[in-house]
Amino acid sequence: MKAQVNEIKISYKGGLKSSMWQKISSSQDAAELLYEDWDKDTIGIQETFKVVLLNNSNKVKGIYQLSQGGITSTSIDLRILFAVILKSLSVAIILTHNHPSGKLQPSDADKNLTNKIKKASRLFDITILDHLIFAPNGDYYSFADSEIL
């Protein structure tokens, strides 16, 4: 008898053809796309962490919500993050989360997490293009624009 195992599957919702995927050329491009996607009912209440998955032309394959937490933090499991990145065959990513308080400056925890993800991504030749932090009103902070990525 053959052994049977479950296959992990990542699927795309929405049916958007790859020819229609949006190209990201700047933090502003990413911010506009992400803010439009964000749940406006919760952006000022709960911290949420998402990852934008990109192909080698910096076109958006999809957005994956990794976690939703409390008022001041959310937990990130790097194993799940990289499982999604690798299973989707993405070559670049943009990290993003919100600060319900509206404070745009990254915390030490934000910087440490970004560096930890950056270090792990090097092992898989995954490029981190940016890490955006959003305020509830749509203002954002870009790690890349601030040259701390």
Side-chain angles (χ1 to χ4, degrees), residues 3-144:
Q4 294 182 339
V5 295
N6 293 323
E7 180 185 352
I8 297 171
K9 180 180 177 183
I10 294 175
S11 62
Y12 295 102
K13 216 187 327 184
L16 189 64
K17 294 183 182 192
S18 60
S19 62
M20 301 297 292
W21 292 351
Q22 183 174 334
K23 183 175 176 67
I24 301 295
S25 301
S26 67
S27 65
Q28 184 174 348
D29 290 346
E32 288 172 4
L33 175 74
L34 283 160
Y35 189 68
E36 186 178 313
D37 178 70
W38 222 284
D39 182 348
K40 307 306 182 289
D41 293 333
T42 61
I43 194 169
I45 300 168
Q46 289 180 281
E47 198 166 298
T48 302
F49 192 98
K50 300 180 182 191
V51 61
V52 181
L53 304 161
L54 301 135
N55 70 9
N56 60 345
S57 297
N58 289 346
K59 290 190 174 186
V60 178
K61 298 173 92 173
I63 299 170
Y64 182 80
Q65 181 173 310
L66 190 63
S67 69
Q68 187 167 33
I71 298 166
T72 58
S73 68
T74 188
S75 181
I76 307 306
D77 189 323
L78 294 185
R79 294 164 292 200
I80 295 173
L81 172 64
F82 281 95
V84 170
I85 295 167
L86 294 171
K87 188 70 174 176
S88 67
L89 302 177
S90 297
V91 298
I93 58 171
I94 297 171
L95 306 169
T96 184
H97 74 283
N98 64 308
H99 282 173
S101 67
K103 181 183 175 199
L104 289 175
Q105 283 303 114
S107 66
D108 287 341
D110 294 336
K111 292 175 187 175
N112 291 338
L113 176 64
T114 303
N115 286 330
K116 190 174 180 180
I117 295 170
K118 187 176 171 183
K119 190 175 182 180
S121 70
R122 286 188 194 124
L123 295 172
F124 300 108
D125 289 329
I126 305 294
T127 303
I128 300 178
L129 298 178
D130 208 341
H131 184 162
L132 301 177
I133 299 173
F134 282 92
N137 66 359
D139 289 345
Y140 68 94
Y141 176 91
S142 163
F143 277 59

